[in-house]
Amino acid sequence: MGKGVALALAGAGADLVLHYNSSVGAAEDTAEEARSLGADVELRRADLSDPASIATLLEKPADILVNSAAGFPSDRLVDVSLDQWNRTLALNLTAPVFLTQAFARALPADRSGAVVNVTDWKTERPYRDPRFSYTIAKGGIDTFTKAAASELAPRIRVNAVALGVILPPADAEEGYAERLASQTPLERVGGVEVVAEAVLHFIRNDFITGEIQRLNGGAHLR
Ligand SMILES: NC(=O)c1ccc[n+]([C@@H]2O[C@H](COP(=O)([O-])OP(=O)(O)OC[C@H]3O[C@@H](n4cnc5c(N)ncnc54)[C@H](OP(=O)(O)O)[C@@H]3O)[C@@H](O)[C@H]2O)c1
């Protein structure tokens, strides 16, 4: 998802600070592709489960922040360990919060900015399958999006995309995403273009803030 959104931003004329953690090769390839679209690209590695790494990502002012990186661990309320809970919350909630703080602090007073968070529409109807700490962290992102939009207005707008079946998770077996998507009204996997388009829309339309846009093929109607 990060690659798709980064290339859409590059295609729309943005320069990028492209973050990765473990996927150095994929990040370098994406940086090359973005450069071929005319973008100036800086690559930065950071483990976002370590709050200290956040400061290294946003040393210079930026106009746009997309908080997409996240983990998708399996756990349930009855068996989640404190360590797992802390790790998921650190990566999926604390990192976006403090990246947004760093973004807001770095933005010069005469500039406006846009933040787009990535959440999951299932926070409306929490998972019965075992994604407990993930779902709670994404629920925090929903509330954070509205609280930040309120606090940072009028200079910085904050919105979120709430995703359904967009891409199969890295560890999914063959046909997993298609099977899930077949139960939704639009009966298909979204694909990263759907997300990239919504992110660009939130960035371009400067009368939208505090919105959480479902991109889920109508799954909430079922
Ligand atoms: N795929 C879907 O259909 C779907 C559905 C609902 C919500 N979402 C949300 O969409 C966003 C993107 O999902 P995706 O499908 O692109 O997931 P993904 O393929 O698993 O990618 C996750 C990204 O997060 C980064 N990341 C993981 N652990 C990290 C850490 N400790 N520090 C820094 N970065 C870390 C990874 O970087 P490295 O590879 O460099 O380590 C990777 O770029 C997430 O917020 C996810 O919750 C996705």
Side-chain angles (χ1 to χ4, degrees):
M1 201 91 66
K3 175 182 182 180
V5 171
L7 292 178
L9 287 167
D15 294 327
L16 306 176
V17 175
L18 196 58
H19 154 263
Y20 67 96
N21 181 40
S22 57
S23 303
V24 58
E28 279 167 355
D29 291 348
T30 303
E32 236 10 84
E33 238 181 286
R35 288 185 187 112
S36 74
L37 295 170
D40 185 22
V41 184
E42 278 178 47
L43 267 180
R44 296 275 170 84
R45 183 186 174 272
D47 178 354
L48 293 177
S49 61
D50 170 11
S53 70
I54 287 167
T56 65
L57 278 182
L58 278 165
E59 285 157 351
K60 285 191 279 181
D63 304 294
I64 298 162
L65 170 66
V66 180
N67 284 312
S68 177
F72 193 53
S74 290
D75 52 37
R76 296 176 194 270
L77 173 58
V78 291
D79 64 19
V80 65
S81 67
L82 183 58
D83 187 46
Q84 167 98 319
W85 168 263
N86 284 338
R87 257 185 293 123
T88 311
L89 272 283
L91 174 59
N92 290 10
L93 180 58
T94 306
V97 168
F98 283 90
L99 281 164
T100 304
Q101 183 192 68
F103 173 83
R105 285 179 175 170
L107 194 71
D110 59 347
R111 267 163 66 176
S112 57
V115 177
V116 183
N117 294 320
V118 180
T119 180
D120 192 310
W121 88 272
K122 276 283 197 165
T123 57
E124 285 178 31
R125 213 178 293 168
Y127 278 69
R128 287 199 62 187
D129 65 2
R131 305 289 180 179
F132 177 74
S133 59
Y134 167 86
T135 306
I136 305 299
K138 291 296 193 185
I141 289 290
D142 298 351
T143 306
F144 168 61
T145 298
K146 294 178 199 163
S150 194
E151 183 181 322
L152 300 177
R155 225 157 53 85
I156 299 176
R157 295 178 302 105
V158 185
N159 293 291
V161 285
L163 307 185
V165 189
I166 299 291
L167 292 171
D171 59 356
E173 80 268 16
E174 184 78 19
Y176 168 86
E178 288 72 17
R179 211 164 39 253
L180 278 184
S182 70
Q183 295 157 24
T184 67
L186 297 186
E187 296 179 356
R188 65 179 176 85
V189 173
V192 73
E193 300 74 18
V194 162
V195 181
E197 199 177 302
V199 170
L200 288 178
H201 174 67
F202 276 144
I203 290 165
R204 287 176 170 145
N205 190 321
D206 65 4
F207 204 51
I208 308 179
T209 197
E211 280 298 329
I212 301 175
Q213 172 68 63
R214 289 186 203 98
L215 300 172
N216 68 351
H220 58 289
L221 301 172
R222 288 271 160 86

